[in-house]
Amino acid sequence: MGTSQGVGILSMPYALSQGGWLSLAIFITIAAICFYTGILLQRCIDSSSLVKTYPDIGELAFGRKGRIAVAAFMYLELYLVAIDFLILEGDNLEKLFPNASFFSSFHRIAGGTRQGFVLLFALLVLPTTWFRSLDLLAYVSLGGVLASAILVASVLWVGAADGVGFREGGVAVRWGGVPTAMSLYAFCFSGHAVFPMIYTGMRNRRMFPHVLLICFIICTLAYGVMGVIGYLMYGGSLRSQVTLNLPARKLSSSIAIYTTLINPFTKFALLITPIAEAIEGVLGLGTATTGGKPAQYRAAAVSVSVRTALVVSTTAVALAVPFFAYVVALTGSFLSATATMLLPCACYLRISSRASGKLGVLEIVACVGIIVLGLGVIVIGTYSSLKQIVQSF
């Protein structure tokens, strides 16, 4: 949940405005399901000492095709979250500097103020993707929880002390917006790709369920509080990111927006690097670095080229499809729901049936039920998101 946390919490009020108050039941249900499937991933890892990562689980369950399928969904999700970060930066920088004439050259090249800021951010963040060691950025990104707390506090302050108030009643349910809300809720809990690495890296693995439960409770409360206060403040007029609704030239608004802007800058390289390393592995760069100085220089040049190409391609998509909520919803419905609902249950059923030969009836019913629900989220949410993106052009 770490890499996408800053994006998910911004879209929570919009998600609630799309689905209505009763959609909070869907939100809580998805949170509970994702916690359970996180435990299923732990059980899959415990079944073999060779399993260390999510793709390893896919391979243990379904062979090489399973590894490829799991890895493809992981990397595509990271790619789309990187695009979400670029769109987010452009939207919020335009909110801060609507008449930024000092960036006029970027604006002319990109075709507008928001597009100019997207291009500027891409250029600034590009060098951070070239480094193979991301230890510093990894530590900085741990501040995501603190940033989320500051963001919630700032938005709450705008509502309580800056004259906006909590006057909007909202609606009980908006059936037409439920698919979008459901997809955005699924995106909020898209952290399963890193759960195996966290679990295998723990000294006391028996604490994992407790740690996972605490993390889910904190994240669910943070998302829920942000959604409720944002919906009470702006109701049906909410934009895709709650920061875009905040009043201009208020200190609390500026704190919220600046906090939002810092998060993608510290995490963008963490999203791009796993994809780049997978591509570099296919190109055989891991072995090239041991063949002397010339081979190392060539490997470094190819590595920089691969990472630059990834930044260029994500920037191009962000400029071409600047619809933050719809891209996030597409990520949540098609990729996050697959990685958090479908794959954990399918892998667990396959691995457990091989290992022990028998499963509890409740486990089978729960896993099959989650798979059916996940397929519903994937089909309905993906169709709704793609339809909205096409209609927005």
Side-chain angles (χ1 to χ4, degrees):
M1 287 175 285
T3 53
S4 59
Q5 185 179 44
V7 177
I9 200 166
L10 285 177
S11 60
M12 262 303 296
Y14 177 77
L16 188 53
S17 73
Q18 290 296 295
W21 289 114
L22 292 180
S23 70
L24 283 173
I26 300 175
F27 171 69
I28 294 172
T29 300
I30 289 176
I33 288 173
C34 290
F35 168 73
Y36 176 70
T37 54
I39 298 299
L40 293 184
L41 291 181
Q42 174 199 353
R43 295 176 183 173
C44 291
I45 296 170
D46 289 338
S47 66
S48 173
S49 60
L50 300 176
V51 175
K52 304 294 183 184
T53 66
Y54 204 167
D56 289 344
I57 294 174
E59 185 170 15
L60 181 63
F62 300 104
R64 181 161 178 79
K65 291 182 179 178
R67 167 178 283 276
I68 293 172
V70 171
F73 278 103
M74 277 180 52
Y75 297 140
L76 187 54
E77 182 180 29
L78 292 174
Y79 189 82
L80 286 183
V81 174
I83 293 170
D84 295 329
F85 275 164
L86 286 162
I87 299 173
L88 181 152
E89 288 287 316
D91 289 344
N92 283 279
L93 282 170
E94 185 183 31
K95 171 78 174 180
L96 277 178
F97 308 107
N99 301 309
S101 57
F102 49 91
F103 289 133
S104 58
S105 57
F106 286 105
H107 299 167
R108 283 196 298 271
I109 294 171
T113 303
R114 190 201 66 80
Q115 293 90 335
F117 281 123
V118 170
L119 184 58
L120 177 63
F121 173 74
L123 291 173
L124 291 175
V125 82
L126 175 60
T128 69
T129 67
W130 294 339
F131 297 101
R132 287 181 172 272
S133 176
L134 296 177
D135 292 344
L136 179 59
L137 284 178
Y139 284 115
V140 172
S141 70
L142 292 176
V145 175
L146 177 61
S148 297
I150 294 173
L151 182 60
V152 173
S154 299
V155 174
L156 182 61
W157 183 268
V158 171
D162 284 345
V164 175
F166 306 99
R167 305 181 184 90
E168 298 290 337
V171 297
V173 64
R174 289 184 66 242
W175 294 111
V178 167
T180 299
M182 187 169 54
S183 300
L184 292 172
Y185 294 154
F187 180 85
C188 290
F189 300 101
S190 57
H192 285 53
V194 300
F195 288 175
M197 290 180 285
I198 294 173
Y199 177 59
T200 55
M202 292 180 68
R203 291 183 178 179
N204 185 1
R205 293 187 177 185
R206 288 179 295 179
M207 291 299 296
F208 179 77
H210 304 289
V211 173
L212 190 65
L213 179 61
I214 292 171
C215 288
F216 264 87
I217 290 174
I218 292 173
C219 288
T220 302
L221 287 174
Y223 288 135
V225 169
M226 177 63 94
V228 169
I229 63 177
Y231 194 28
L232 287 174
M233 287 167 63
Y234 297 108
S237 63
L238 273 160
R239 299 176 66 180
S240 61
Q241 304 157 59
V242 68
T243 48
L244 302 181
N245 286 93
L246 300 181
R249 292 182 292 277
K250 294 284 188 179
L251 177 61
S252 52
S253 299
S254 297
I255 291 174
I257 296 174
Y258 279 118
T259 303
T260 299
L261 293 173
I262 292 171
N263 209 26
F265 190 84
T266 60
K267 292 181 178 179
F268 192 87
L270 297 176
L271 296 171
I272 292 297
T273 297
I275 309 172
E277 288 179 345
I279 297 173
E280 290 163 9
V282 172
L283 297 175
L285 295 190
T287 57
T289 55
T290 60
K293 290 290 184 180
Q296 290 179 18
Y297 291 147
R298 285 194 298 270
V302 174
S303 176
V304 169
S305 299
V306 167
R307 292 157 194 255
T308 301
L310 286 170
V311 174
V312 170
S313 63
T314 53
T315 304
V317 176
L319 292 172
V321 189
F323 314 117
F324 179 81
Y326 302 154
V327 176
V328 174
L330 177 62
T331 308
S333 58
F334 180 57
L335 299 170
S336 300
T338 300
T340 60
M341 299 183 192
L342 208 61
L343 292 176
C345 292
C347 290
Y348 177 70
L349 289 175
R350 185 65 176 265
I351 292 171
S352 297
S353 64
R354 285 177 174 176
S356 61
K358 58 181 180 179
L359 286 165
V361 175
L362 289 178
E363 279 187 323
I364 295 174
V365 171
C367 288
V368 172
I370 292 171
I371 289 173
V372 172
L373 180 62
L375 286 172
V377 174
I378 293 166
V379 173
I380 297 172
T382 301
Y383 171 77
S384 174
S385 302
L386 289 174
K387 181 180 177 181
Q388 289 171 323
I389 290 174
V390 171
Q391 290 178 343
S392 297
F393 280 104

